[in-house]
Amino acid sequence: MNRVKQIANRFEEVLLNGTWVANTNYKDQLSNITWKQATTKIGSLNTIAALTFHINYYIAGVLQVFEGGSLEIRDKYSFDLPPIQSKEDWEQLQNTMWNNTQKFAEAVARMPDEQIDDIFVDKKYGSYLRNIEGMIEHSYYHLGQITLIKKMLLESEKMD
């Protein structure tokens, strides 16, 4: 398997289907979360919905570059989650993330091996590889938060 396919698989693992690194993935963790749980705030922590939006924001922004567009994402907007007021809103956010994840992984897998080491948009951002690996690492970081917040929510529901 070539480099780009390997890294595309690693990206899919954290979001859609893997258990190797964290013994879970986003799809597994989010599949049985209600929209009320996803929007429940615990102290000063981000909500599960906000973290889901945040990760998808970056996936969509980098995907736009992979598809020939410009890099338009900005950190200051990465938590600007539109209101989640129903099961349908929550499902739409998740479905958007799954679709973007699949497109992102497919775009990486189609990339010529030599492109992986090319500059991503601007020298200050490093290579395509650095950005894809950064996306994987960032996703694992927030997956850990989601897993802990989910455990806290379920524990507090047991106490009620």
Side-chain angles (χ1 to χ4, degrees), residues 26-63:
Y26 276 80
K27 198 159 200 178
D28 182 53
Q29 287 300 306
L30 300 180
S31 68
N32 58 358
I33 293 287
T34 68
W35 74 272
K36 294 231 183 220
Q37 290 169 323
T39 57
T40 297
K41 190 104 169 104
I42 296 179
S44 63
L45 302 177
N46 286 307
T47 66
I48 289 172
L51 292 167
T52 302
F53 174 85
H54 177 74
I55 288 298
N56 183 61
Y57 178 82
Y58 285 105
I59 292 170
V62 173
L63 175 60

Side-chain angles (χ1 to χ4, degrees), residues 6 12 14 17 20 22 25 39-41 47 57 61-62 72 75 102-103 115 119 130 137-138 140 157:
Q6 287 176 338
E12 283 182 310
V14 64
N17 58 25
W20 186 63
N25 58 69
T39 57
T40 297
K41 190 104 169 104
T47 66
Y57 178 82
V62 173
E72 297 177 9
D75 292 345
Q102 197 61 54
K103 288 178 189 174
Q115 184 180 348
I119 297 297
R130 180 173 189 239
E137 293 164 9
H138 185 219
Y140 274 116
E157 288 173 3

Side-chain angles (χ1 to χ4, degrees), residues 35-36 38-39 49 81-91:
W35 74 272
K36 294 231 183 220
T39 57
L81 170 69
I84 302 288
Q85 300 175 323
S86 67
K87 176 183 177 189
E88 292 73 25
D89 291 344
W90 173 231
E91 287 174 354

Side-chain angles (χ1 to χ4, degrees), residues 11 23-25 58 70 81 94 104 131 137 152:
F11 177 75
N23 204 34
T24 191
N25 58 69
Y58 285 105
S70 58
L81 170 69
Q94 290 179 80
F104 187 103
N131 281 270
E137 293 164 9
M152 293 167 76

